Structures are given as structure tokens and as C-alpha cells.
Amino acid sequence: MPGKLKAKIVAGRHLPVMDRASDLTDAFVEVKFGNTTFKTDVYPKSLNPQWNSEWFKFEVDDEDLQDEPLQITVLDHDTYSANDAIGKVYIDIDPLLSSEAATVISGWFPIYDTIHGIRGEINVLVKVDLFNDLNRFRQSSCGVKFFCTTSIPRCYRAALVHGFVEELVVNEDPEYQWIDRIRTPRASNEARQRLISLMSGELQRKIGLKVLEMGGNAVVGYLQCFDLEGESGLVVRAIGTACTLDKLIPGTASNTITHTNTAPASNACNSPSKEIKESPMAHGCRSSHNSPVHSACSSQRLSHSQNFSVSVPTLVFTGMGSGISVGKEAGPLKTLLRQQAQSALEQREFPFFTLTCFPPGFLVHIGGVVSARSVKLLDRIHNPDEPETRDAWWEEIRQEIKSHAKALGCHAVVGYSESTTICEEVCILSASGTAAMLNPRFMREGCLDAGGSDQRLSRQPPLGMVGSERAEGEVSSSWLGFDDASPPSCGFCHIPYDEFNMPFPAQLTYCYHCRRQKVPDVLFTTIDLPAEAAVTGKGCLIQARLCRTKKKAQGEVNATAISNLLPFMEYELHTQLMNKLKLRCMNALFGLRIQISVGENMLLGLASATGVYLSALPAPGGIQIAGKTPSDLSYDQHISTMQKRINDTIVMNKEFYNIHPPECIEEVVGSPIPDRQRSRLFRSTSESSDELSELDLSHGKKDAFVLEIDDTDAVEDIQSLLTDAPMPAGFYSCNTEVMPGIYNWTSGLQMFTSVRVYRLNNANLTNQGLNKIFTDLCENLLKSLYFKLRSMIPCCLCHLNFTVAVPEEELIQVAVTAVAMSFDKETQLAADKALNKGSGENEEQLQFSMELCGESTSSNNQPTAKPSGLPESAMTHSSSRDRCSTWLELLRLKAHTIRRGSVKTISSSERCSPLPEVRSRSLRSTRSLPCGAPVTVVKMTPLSFLPRTRIVKYLGIINMFFIRETTSLREEGGVSGFLHSFIAEVFAMVRAHVAALGGNAVVSYSMKECVFMENPNKNQAQCLINVSGDAVIFVRESDQEAIPPLITSGQTSTTGADGTT
Amino acid sequence: MQIRYAVFTPILCRTQRFNCAINNTRLQMLFTQTVPGAIYLLATVSPRLDRYITLVKAYKMSMELDVFVGNTTIMDMEVYQLWLDGLTVSDAVKVRMDEGALLECEANPEVLTSDTMDQFRTFQMCERLLHSPTKLGSQLLYQIPAQNQIILIERYYEFDSVFAREVLGKKLSKGTKKDLDDISCKTGITLKSCRRQFDNFKRVFKVVEELKGPLVENIQRHFLLSDTLARDYAAIVFFANSRFETGKRKLQYLSFQDFAFCAGQLISYWTIGAMDSMMEDMDVDLEKEFLNELKDLKVLVNDKDMMDQHKILVCAALRGKIKVYKLMEVNFKFIEPCRYDRWTVAEITLFLTHYTNAAHCLGTFRHQMIWDRYMGVIKSCILQMYHE
């Protein structure tokens, strides 16, 4: 009996009128936990009842405490007939189980009914007394903290990062049970809501147990999803990163940053054996993306490097006719597993991390994006009620991801996520992440107690620069003594594997920053921009959109058709991304998220990422259009017009994104592939930006990305390139946490959710027509968002992630949840100016960084053997090359080569001009409304922080699932009115829960599911929404006692020189 | 709402009814509303755009659902005014276009329509809360900054004085509601807006009718209105309650503000609440006792002697000061004659002052207190009502 749950019902307000005769309500409340129910007295004839009940006490196991929600039902007493339910409140009491989170839940909760929506509010008090029990951790995992945030939460430091945890539970979907035929929609919805709540609790408890087993105390980057499989069941699954977190003592946090440079240069745990094994010098470099498709009858793997000179796809045909596989083939996987022996990381089954933001020094090198997809048939699951089959599916995919990472010379995958899309009985499982080399120090026990380490791990934002977090780059100097240290600002760009044994030919150059190691020409990742990265100019959102028609089919035929289409789609999406990246004169993508959604007669693909110009990488070349066929005059003219427009756009974009890489003197070292090897000395004396753009264009003509106009797809590409409307002045957008190049956020922010559904009226659309529609649709949505948020100018839309779905034939649904954050224009201008000026100081900087490089490399400049594990997989790939020549031919047709354009070295990113403290721009009204206690303002954001504030406490995870249904769609304002009020209700319920926990914000908020179904003929609609986030308490920076000296943005990183003011 | 696009060759240019140049893209729109709820946008693309794209291309796609929800509810106060004015979405879009909304943020008509619809829907959903403004502050559904809440409420309860003038003194009943059609035609205010204003009057009236305490304060407490607006509402409630015949032909020239002022005076000085603020009674009704006492004042008019005496005194005091002196004698019930004779405001003031004071000098007149209370209000009312 390890816990006692106590609940008290205080009062209600704004209740609906339940008795038409008196225009009043006789309300009472049922409080239920597990199988125990209590009732309050009836409070007669009032819309604002004051129950002031006794404390209802439930004595329960902590296992139940974790699984079950507290269920509060408000009813209207009726003497003669059955009591009418007004609505319900489910309260997740998990936050009360951790000593560090909330201690009491107290506040007004909206009373929610799945048919009528919110009907009044109820004031509730909930407490939990936990008894100490030696046996306590047998079934339950009370006390394990969960965070949706995909970085180390701000008031903690990570003592240890244990690694990947996952769990999956299955149940029958109440909506598909026989009883659903006879029960009311309300009963069915409530059964579903309750079931998902229970399953989430169970899932969290089970994951918690795994974390305890590993010796951790928290899960960071917790991502929970549910799959509505229909007949075969309802799956709730979750992944996360187990960590041991230590709470930072408030007050010390702000000091730590300034201490960093005094940290000891090397740690005791630098065992020499490790150094050799993980020596980075052995790693060549390549950026690559693998887009394998695993389908039942044919397991196809396709990888191509980002430059799309695809010559070594890891394409494996396993032979046809084996039928749709539902089990897993564990055999070969085990052998793979055995190969991994020594490293702390490789001992783990899956060296995956759901984190996207890391303490400086954690990421050593980044390989590229790895992804895997698998098409499965749900009606072939043998025992649908058991999780084994799905477990095996995911296991298979994860193994694939792992082997892809190995092929890229990486031992870990960061920014890892999983998703599904379901259409009828076909289910596509997807996983993606970024292959990376990590600093093993963070994974080893007892290594982080050495002085100075806490600074690195805490992600406490530097005061005055919140949001930018560049100050963390400052710790660089303390890392110089490490085995695999390279100057931290560019280290992650360096190729992680052997350049002489690359599975893909790629363009390599010496790093434009340290000039010691090789970097790829383009880098794609799924993570956020590392804090230490040096970036030139600003970034922007880049989207690739694709629509492909598909014949209607069923079962295996359908699955095969889909799996055949997938690799082409991935390829197309990448081509688009690449083109758009070049058009913006950028060379790296962060936060890449590719979503593929299946409908009955089409597939939708949407890739979003934030493009940036990484100073360490070479400047991208231009785009050149070439006509293939001998052509007449007008055709040539057309091409040259197009070319001109493209060139103009590039110039315009450079100006817009402020990309003016400082001119430089640099020799280009060619890639290891001999025929491409060239060495060129490039000198330019002028500093002007005009000169630069001119430079690039000339290069664009010589060795640019070539688009052949004969290719119909290329025409399409060009169209889509040029139809992307430029952002209106004053707006920036990105899909990552923050926008590189913007630092001076004000506290003004607006989180929003926008959903659109389009109906395609024309049944026989071509791929091209569909594409156009889909592109217009996304562009229009963006335009609408800009227009809506124009009052916030200058602002940046952050975390702009679209979710697409095909809810029905000929319907396209696009949903987006993002946050608009305004920044201060004047200080921004000042910062930009300082940036431009900074180029003059290059030399000084350069000198410094060179010194650092020398220091770091002298110790470990011995080339070592290629990393174990890599060769084998590489070999397999190459041997399979011949087998799929037709496939290759196809890809080759489209292959583009990229060559470097102009060259540059060091970023001049001395953004150290102390930014004046900008006063918060909050619109707090002094005139308050005279109506009792004001409602707590709860801020919501999909980001892990709130600008100009400091998070002082995490109160627990918010994970809520709601269903709303209506049988009077027209009366509720049609589908838009219905969904509008439902989303507003969901926001309201999230805010109420946070406020009841004592919080004033939700960070890392996301709407993970929005399933909308309608039947206008029957005047009906139903919608399911799943949201999650972390409830926190924040304080405004200005509220803090003393403001310590501002720390420079130091995004420059390069030097580690701190520009404290 | 469906939006359909068709891109035509430049020849169709001539038929366009609605032109708008969007920045440099030279897109011209033909804006028609043939079917309710469906806007057809016929765009002509100028030859400047890529000729390879100017194929006649028509594709169909309709927006089935379009929703934008902010954690803080976004409200454009200009659109709010259009909504309050009772415009339809398409009319509001036209107004916004005329006002140059398309120049902002590179918007196009589609964006504008979507935004307008969304805003209108938001207001419609909030309307329920605006009916009991105190709820707006304590509800959890919409997170609206306190400042915006105040504006929302204030604007919602604002009314057109032309409309108020029409309704003034009428019974706030269903019967009157049926006449709103006529009022709408007469005033040019949309029926929707008329309904809102009428319902506001009725709602405020219903709530404060039976309440005790000062009328203006009651209105402010329950509807969170500004002082000025609350006073206007007090006037409306007052007239609706006492049903003065404001519709008389003679009074046609008076505006709502004139009446509102008079009502304010009456409320301040002639109601029970006015005399004794401690008394738990209402401001809505005139003090009965006072009205009875007023009958005593009739002695001034009825009693020939006293009237003459009063007249002489007033005339004596004014002699030489007012040119129109002789006319005045007959004009003890006034405004119209004064207007006819073009008295100045100053002259009226002077006259009224002496008129009041003269009564004090009458030895036989005993109701000094009541007289002052009566004349104070009458004087200010007359002055307010005395204009063209």
C-alpha cells in the first residue's frame, strides 16, 4: 500500500443549464480512481456550486498511481430519470509522484464532454502521500522524470547519458469492439480516452523501469505516439533517452558559464585505449543520406550521398515472392550485434539518442542523415493483441538505421525519431536520425564529476542572450586536451570516416575553418544547429513537397506498389531540397524531417529543414540549366531567361539572408577521387559583397549543379524552385529551435496551430498537377501565417513543422504547430553590422584558431586504421552495386554533380558586441478586470525555452489525448468551426493543467496527432488530438536580482576567446 | 466557402470588375460572387510572367477546412469593427482590399479571405462570452490579454447614436425587434448590427432593471464598460423604463446625445438614488415623492397672480440685457419659440438664471427647495436641447 491519493472538490462555475424549467442545475461530482468511487453532495439549483467536499482518500499501489488517471465526473442530479453527465476531467497525477516536480494540483479545470466540448469549470485539489517501501521499484517506477524536451533540461545537468529506451503497448481499440454497436458515441469516446490514458501511464511506467535498470533517473526527449491501426488494435509506443540528471542549485547556474575556461583541460577518464580506437583522424568525411526501403517482398536499400552522384546505393534485393513478412529475421542482426565489442556505445543494442541539442563537445563528428522505412500489412499480424510483432518490426528498422550509421563511419545516431503512417491495412514505419560520432565521455560512469564538466552539460542559457545560447561555445578551450578534439566550432562538420574508403564519391575539402581536416560540401542533419557552430548570415526554412499518384489496390499489391514508389519519392525530395538549398546559397540543413503519408490513391511527401551557411563548409556553387537537345533560338532564349532568373534569385537570397562569406585565400584540395581532384588557388582582394556575388555566379557557370531541362522532372524542379514565394519583409522562418543569426529575442511570442484540409475535385490529376496543387497549398498556408502574424514583425517563425495526411480519398490535410517570436530590430541591426565589420578582424581570429588547431592536433595526428565495422558494410554495398544496375542507371540519369564555387575560410562571426538589455515587450495591462482572481497566463511554445526568461522548475510531463465528436456539424459552424473550437479547447485544457500544477508555461509543446474525420451528409464529424509538452515555471530575466555581465554570443566558437563585456 | 481559381489569357481583362495589383506580380483579379459562399477569382496573368506558364490552365481545389488557433487569441481590431458593423465575409474582404490590406505582407485575396473568415469565426465564438462580459475574464477557453478584453467588450457594446435615437423610448420587446428592418433601412446600418445593438440594450436593461444602487455603477460592474459608455447605457435604460415620448415630431431634431444628457441629469437629481446614496433603491425610476411635490410648483403657472408677479420680476431683472425682451413675456414654455426667434445660448442662460432666481423673490412661493431641484435640471436640459 505504498501511496495515498487525496482529492477534494471545491467548487464549480459557469456550469451549463441542465434544467430548462428553472434555468439552473443540481450538480454533484463523482471522483473515481481505479475501482473506487466517491461522490459529493448535490448542490441544488446553482450554476456556480460550492461543494467544498471532504478529502476523498484512495489507498493505492504506486503502480496504479502511475497508470491510472484521476477521473472526475460532474453530473446533474435528476430525481426521476437517470442523472445526466455534464462532463469529465481526467487528471494525470504522475507529476505528483516525483519529488522534484509538483507537490499539489490545485486549480480550475475545464469540464470536458466529448460531444459538447467544454461546459464550465471545476476547482479541484489533489495531493499524494507516498510511503517508503523497499520493494517499491518492482513494478512501478515512481520518481523517474520525463521530459519532452530534446535537450538536457535547463535546470539540470546530465551526469550520465545512458541511451535509448523504447516501449510499446497494444490494446483492442474500443471503437472496434462489438459493444460499440450498442453504446452511445459518448461512451465509446470516453472508453477510448480512458484507455489511451491508461496505456500512456503503463507505457511511461514500463519505460521508467527500464531507466531504473540502466541506473538513470530521467527520460529526456520522450516521444510518445499512438497508432490507430483500426481492426488490429491501438498501439501506444514511446522512445526516449535515459539519463542521470542532477539538479543544479539555483544561483550557481548563472556563474558556471564564466568559469568554463578555468576548467581542467583534460579529464582523468581519457583512457589511451579509447583514444586510439576513436581517433578521429582516421575518419574520412562524407555526408550522406540513406533512404532504404524495406518492403515485404523486396528489401530495397538505397543510399545516396547528398551531392547526388549516386554510385553506391546500398541496394539489396532479397528476392521476390516470400510474401509479406510479419515476423523479424533476427539471424543476420545478431551477427551484426556481435561485431560490436569494445566501445561503451557499441555495447548498447541501439546507440540512439532522441536528443537534438547537445552539450558542447558531445558531438564529435556528424556523418549525415540516416533513415529507414518499412511497409507492413496490418491484417497479417498473427496475434494482434500482443506487442511482439510490432516490436519485431521496429527492431528491424532500428537495426537498419544502426547499420546505416555504421556505413557512415559513425557509432551513434542522434536526433533520432520514429513515425508511422497508416492507410487501411497498409502501414509505413519510418525512422530517421543523424549518424554521429559522440564523445564517449558522456556515456561512461563517473567521468563527469571532474571539475568543469557540469558547465558543459548544463544547458542553462547565458543571461542576456537567451535563445541564442551561443555562449556555450566558450567552453571550447577546455576541450582542447581531449583525444578527438578539433576546434569545436567546426569539429562536427568534419567527416567521420575514412576518406580513402568512401562508399560514395563526394567532394571533400579541407575545413574552411581549421584547415586541418576534411569536410563535405553539403551536410544534412536531423538535429538542431550545434551551439558552437559558426554560421554565416541567417538561415531559412526549406521545404520540399511531392505528390505521387498511385493506383488503388489492396493487400500485398498495394504494399508492393507503395514500396516501389518510396525510393523515388525520397530521391525527388532530396533533389528538391538540394536545389532549394543552392538557390539560397546555403550548404547545410538542420532539423531535416521527411514525412511520407499514404492515401488510397496518392502518396504525399513533405521534407522540411532549416538551411544555413556553415562557415566551415565550402560555398555552394550556383545552379546551371542546360538544354540537352540541339535547340532553336527561342528555346535557347527560354533557357537563358530561366538561368537569369535563377541567378537573380541567388543574388537576391544572398542579400536577404545576409550571406556574405568573407573573402578568403584558400587552396582547394580536391576530393580523393583522382579525376575530380583539382587544386586551385583563389585570390580575391575586394571585400565588397558585390564582388562576392559576382564570384559565385561565375562559378555557377563553370561547375554548377546542372539541371537538364529536357527532363520533365527538372522542368518541374525549376518551376517549384521559382514559384516559392519569398518571405515578406520582416519575417524569417525555420523548423529548428532557433534561427541562426538572430539573437535578440524579445519576450513576445505566439504559439499557434493551423490546420487546413483541401479537397481535390478533379479525379484524374497528373503527378505534375498534383504537385502544383500541393506546393501551392503549402505556400498559401505559409503566406496566411505570415499575414496573420504581421503584427509581430520583425519576427521569426520557429519550429515550423508541417504534418501532412490523406484522411480520405482526394483530401489533403496539412497541420502546423509553430511559434512566432519577435526580436528587436535595432539591436539586430547592430549585431549584423558588427558581424559585417567583424570580417576586418579576421586575421586576429584566424591566428588564434590556428594556434588552437596546432595544439589539438599535435597530440593525435597519427592516421589510424579505419574504424571497425565500417568496411564490412561498405563492402556489402559495393558488391550489391552490380546487381542493381538498372536502378543505378535511373539514378544516374538524374545525377547531378556539385562542385565548389567560391571559397572562403573563417567566419567573421564576432558577434560580441554586448547587446543592450532589451526590455520585455509584454503587453501587461494595468487595468485588470474586476472579476475574482485573474486566470493565470500560460505561455506555450514548441521550443525548449522561452526567450528572456529562465526556467526554474520542471513540473512534469503533459500528455493529453482528447476526442471530440459532433452530430450537429452545421450548427457548430461547419468543419472549421468545429475544429477551431476543439483546438481552442485543447489549448485551454493544457493551460488549465499547467496552471493547476503551479506552472506558467509549457515548453516543447507538440501536437502529435490530429485525426479529423467528417461526414457532412450526416452532419457529423469526429476529431482526435494528442498533445504533449513539459510544464514549467519560468521567471523573467528582469525579475532576477542582479544581472551578471553579459556573455558574448560567441557563436564564433572558433577561438574560445570569450568576449565578455 | 470555396475558392476557385482560373487563369485566363489577357483578353479576358476587359471583363474584370475588380482590379488589384499585387506588388510586382501584376495579377489582376476579377472578383465576383455568383453563388453564395463561393468566391470566384478569375485572374489574368500579364504577359510579363513566363510565357511558358501562361497556358490556359484551370485546376480545381477547394478548401474544406481552414483553421488558425493561437495560444493567445489573435484579434485584428479593424476586422472586429467590420464584423460588428455586420458585414459579410466577402464584403469585409472587399473593404479590406480597398483599404490596402493586400499591400501588407504580400497578401493575396485568398489569404485575405481566409484571414477574414477565421477572424469572423473567432469573434462569433467569443460573442457568447461578450454577452456576460464578466465571464470573459474568468473563462479558460480563450487566452485574451486583459487590454484586448477591454477593447472587445467596449466595442461590442458601442452603438450608433442614430440607431439609439430610433429605439429610444420604445419598449425593448419583440415587437420593436421586428421593426429593426425599417430602422436598418432608414439609418443605413446593417440589420445584423442593428440586432446586436438592440440585443445589447435589452440585455443591459434586463440585468440592471431590478438591481439596487447607482445605475451607472451597476452597468459598469456587470458589463465592464467605460464610464462614458455606461452613462449612455444608463440613459437608454432610463428612457426604456420611463418611456418618454421621444418620437414626437417636435423632438425629431434632437440627437441621442441630447437625450442622454437629459437622462443623466434626471438620474442625477430626480431619482431616489440621487437624493440618498445610502438608500438601497434604484436609479431607474424617478422619485415618486418628488413628482408629487412638483405638482405644488404648478402654482407658479396656475395661480395667475403669482405667475404675473414672477414674470414682472424676471422681466425687471433682464431689462436692457436682452433685445427680444418683449417677446419673452409670452414664452414661458420655451425652446421652440426661442429657436424661432434665434436667441443665443448666452441669452437663454441669462434668462433661465433670472427665471430661477426670481422665484425666490416671490414672497408667496414656499417650495424653494423643490423649485431649485426642478429648475436645475430643467435649465441644463433646456440648454442642451437648445440647438439647431
Side-chain angles (χ1 to χ4, degrees), chain A residues 118-137:
Chain A
I118 289 179
R119 308 170 94 188
E121 289 128 35
I122 185 169
N123 196 310
V124 182
L125 252 162
V126 186
K127 281 181 182 174
V128 172
D129 290 335
L130 275 181
F131 307 140
N132 275 328
D133 184 346
L134 288 177
N135 236 355
R136 177 174 152 188
F137 293 128

Side-chain angles (χ1 to χ4, degrees), chain A residues 255-384:
Chain A
N255 300 331
T256 51
I257 306 155
T258 49
H259 293 322
T260 36
N261 289 338
T262 64
S266 72
N267 260 329
C269 53
N270 277 341
S271 71
S273 64
K274 287 283 188 229
E275 273 175 38
I276 289 163
K277 205 187 66 54
E278 278 159 0
S279 169
M281 303 315 289
H283 304 314
C285 115
R286 185 200 58 171
S287 71
S288 146
H289 175 89
N290 294 334
S291 54
V293 175
H294 179 90
S295 85
C297 30
S298 66
S299 161
Q300 311 167 330
R301 284 177 202 164
L302 150 76
S303 315
H304 31 85
S305 77
Q306 278 156 6
N307 59 14
F308 291 107
S309 37
V310 184
S311 54
V312 191
T314 59
L315 198 60
V316 183
F317 280 97
T318 55
M320 309 289 280
S322 62
I324 305 298
S325 79
V326 285
K328 73 167 183 188
E329 317 103 25
L333 306 180
K334 292 284 178 239
T335 51
L336 262 176
L337 271 173
R338 257 175 241 124
Q339 292 168 356
Q340 306 141 10
Q342 300 131 352
S343 145
L345 256 181
E346 286 172 0
Q347 274 163 8
R348 282 172 208 166
E349 194 185 7
F350 297 113
F352 296 170
F353 300 87
T354 53
L355 304 178
T356 58
C357 244
F358 305 92
F362 188 91
L363 276 179
V364 180
H365 301 306
I366 292 175
V369 172
V370 285
S371 80
R373 287 182 210 281
S374 166
V375 183
K376 298 291 184 192
L377 282 176
L378 294 172
D379 53 358
R380 306 294 173 86
I381 302 173
H382 290 309
N383 43 351

Side-chain angles (χ1 to χ4, degrees), chain B residues 71-102:
Chain B
N71 182 36
T72 306
T73 309
I74 292 185
M75 288 169 170
D76 185 326
M77 287 306 158
E78 281 165 35
V79 184
Y80 186 48
Q81 196 54 55
L82 298 177
W83 179 74
L84 289 175
D85 291 344
L87 268 65
T88 61
V89 171
S90 51
D91 286 342
V93 170
K94 275 180 202 163
V95 171
R96 293 183 80 185
M97 276 179 157
D98 290 343
E99 284 169 0
L102 286 179

Side-chain angles (χ1 to χ4, degrees), chain A residues 13-14 108 110 118 121 638 645 726 728 731 750-759 761 773 776 780 783-790 925 927 929-931 935 937-940 975-977 979-981 983-985 987-988 991 1012 1014, chain B residues 4 50-53 57 59-74 76 96 101 104-108 110-112 114-115 118-119 121-122 125 134-135 137-143 145-147 149-150 153 224 226:
Chain A
R13 67 182 181 194
H14 308 334
W108 290 99
I118 289 179
E121 289 128 35
H638 173 55
R645 281 176 63 191
F731 272 106
Q750 168 70 278
M751 188 281 291
F752 60 87
T753 291
S754 186
V755 182
R756 283 189 176 184
V757 176
Y758 292 82
R759 183 175 291 282
N761 293 325
I773 287 177
D776 286 354
N780 273 328
K783 267 185 205 160
S784 277
L785 296 182
Y786 295 138
F787 186 75
K788 273 261 179 233
L789 298 159
R790 65 194 184 286
S925 162
R927 206 171 139 190
L929 296 168
C931 44
V935 178
V937 173
V938 176
K939 295 203 171 196
M940 290 165 78
V975 283
S976 295
L979 193 62
H980 192 143
S981 51
I983 294 174
E985 281 166 353
F987 284 1
R991 286 192 302 255
F1012 179 76
E1014 56 166 331
Chain B
R4 290 180 187 177
D50 199 329
R51 63 199 160 102
Y52 289 87
I53 315 175
K57 200 183 199 178
Y59 59 90
K60 289 178 185 171
M61 167 178 77
S62 61
M63 188 124 65
E64 189 110 333
L65 183 156
D66 178 17
V67 158
F68 178 99
V69 191
N71 182 36
T72 306
T73 309
I74 292 185
D76 185 326
R96 293 183 80 185
E104 283 182 272
C105 264
E106 285 149 42
N108 58 34
E110 200 180 334
V111 165
L112 208 59
S114 151
D115 179 62
D118 186 70
Q119 292 275 316
R121 191 168 50 235
T122 309
M125 291 198 296
T134 45
K135 267 191 195 171
S138 64
Q139 54 84 32
L140 303 175
L141 191 52
Y142 304 102
Q143 191 160 273
Q147 239 180 4
Q149 290 186 21
I150 292 165
I153 297 167
L224 310 173
S226 68

Side-chain angles (χ1 to χ4, degrees), chain B residues 293-307:
Chain B
E293 285 171 340
L294 276 183
K295 283 175 191 158
D296 299 340
L297 292 181
K298 285 197 175 161
V299 80
L300 264 183
V301 187
N302 296 341
D303 187 321
K304 188 80 179 146
D305 278 357
M306 212 178 260
M307 192 171 154

Side-chain angles (χ1 to χ4, degrees), chain A residues 549-610:
Chain A
T549 51
K550 172 184 86 69
K551 282 208 179 83
K552 266 196 219 173
Q554 306 232 305
E556 278 178 45
V557 184
N558 195 18
T560 315
I562 291 171
S563 24
N564 286 341
L565 270 172
L566 283 176
F568 290 92
M569 292 192 65
E570 295 236 27
Y571 179 80
E572 289 284 324
L573 287 170
H574 274 261
T575 313
Q576 271 191 41
L577 282 176
M578 204 65 174
N579 287 344
K580 291 187 178 180
L581 190 68
K582 300 219 160 281
L583 197 69
R584 286 167 181 80
C585 195
M586 294 174 184
N587 57 18
L589 286 181
F590 287 88
L592 177 64
R593 195 165 158 262
I594 301 179
Q595 200 204 346
I596 290 193
S597 195
V598 212
E600 273 186 50
N601 54 357
M602 66 175 137
L603 284 165
L604 286 181
L606 182 70
S608 310
T610 302

Side-chain angles (χ1 to χ4, degrees), chain A residues 187-454:
Chain A
S188 155
N189 291 340
E190 282 174 3
R192 240 172 154 188
Q193 279 190 175
R194 201 182 121 72
L195 178 70
I196 290 196
S197 178
L198 265 172
M199 287 168 78
S200 306
E202 184 190 342
L203 197 70
Q204 236 170 295
R205 176 172 57 83
K206 285 185 170 171
I207 286 205
L209 279 172
K210 288 188 175 177
V211 172
L212 291 172
E213 250 170 57
M214 294 165 105
N217 64 3
V219 182
V220 181
Y222 185 68
L223 174 72
Q224 186 204 287
C225 298
F226 66 86
D227 303 328
L228 297 171
E229 290 183 351
E231 293 285 347
S232 64
L234 198 159
V235 176
V236 184
R237 58 191 164 80
I239 54 175
T241 307
C243 295
T244 303
L245 297 184
D246 293 344
K247 193 150 172 55
L248 287 174
I249 303 132
T252 57
S254 51
N255 300 331
T256 51
I257 306 155
T258 49
H259 293 322
T260 36
N261 289 338
T262 64
S266 72
N267 260 329
C269 53
N270 277 341
S271 71
S273 64
K274 287 283 188 229
E275 273 175 38
I276 289 163
K277 205 187 66 54
E278 278 159 0
S279 169
M281 303 315 289
H283 304 314
C285 115
R286 185 200 58 171
S287 71
S288 146
H289 175 89
N290 294 334
S291 54
V293 175
H294 179 90
S295 85
C297 30
S298 66
S299 161
Q300 311 167 330
R301 284 177 202 164
L302 150 76
S303 315
H304 31 85
S305 77
Q306 278 156 6
N307 59 14
F308 291 107
S309 37
V310 184
S311 54
V312 191
T314 59
L315 198 60
V316 183
F317 280 97
T318 55
M320 309 289 280
S322 62
I324 305 298
S325 79
V326 285
K328 73 167 183 188
E329 317 103 25
L333 306 180
K334 292 284 178 239
T335 51
L336 262 176
L337 271 173
R338 257 175 241 124
Q339 292 168 356
Q340 306 141 10
Q342 300 131 352
S343 145
L345 256 181
E346 286 172 0
Q347 274 163 8
R348 282 172 208 166
E349 194 185 7
F350 297 113
F352 296 170
F353 300 87
T354 53
L355 304 178
T356 58
C357 244
F358 305 92
F362 188 91
L363 276 179
V364 180
H365 301 306
I366 292 175
V369 172
V370 285
S371 80
R373 287 182 210 281
S374 166
V375 183
K376 298 291 184 192
L377 282 176
L378 294 172
D379 53 358
R380 306 294 173 86
I381 302 173
H382 290 309
N383 43 351
D385 298 343
E386 296 300 319
E388 277 78 16
T389 311
R390 283 92 164 184
D391 275 338
W393 288 352
W394 286 111
E395 165 102 11
E396 197 178 284
I397 283 216
R398 289 173 193 143
Q399 288 297 352
E400 214 160 316
I401 289 277
K402 191 175 166 182
S403 64
H404 286 315
K406 264 179 169 299
L408 288 173
C410 296
H411 57 217
V413 177
V414 293
Y416 180 73
S417 67
E418 295 177 347
S419 63
T420 58
T421 166
I422 297 171
C423 177
E424 304 283 306
E425 73 285 340
V426 173
C427 173
I428 302 182
L429 313 183
S430 312
S432 74
T434 305
M437 295 266 303
L438 303 182
N439 191 324
R441 192 158 304 105
F442 292 87
M443 264 65 70
R444 267 180 256 136
E445 208 105 26
C447 290
L448 291 162
D449 301 332
S453 54
D454 49 347

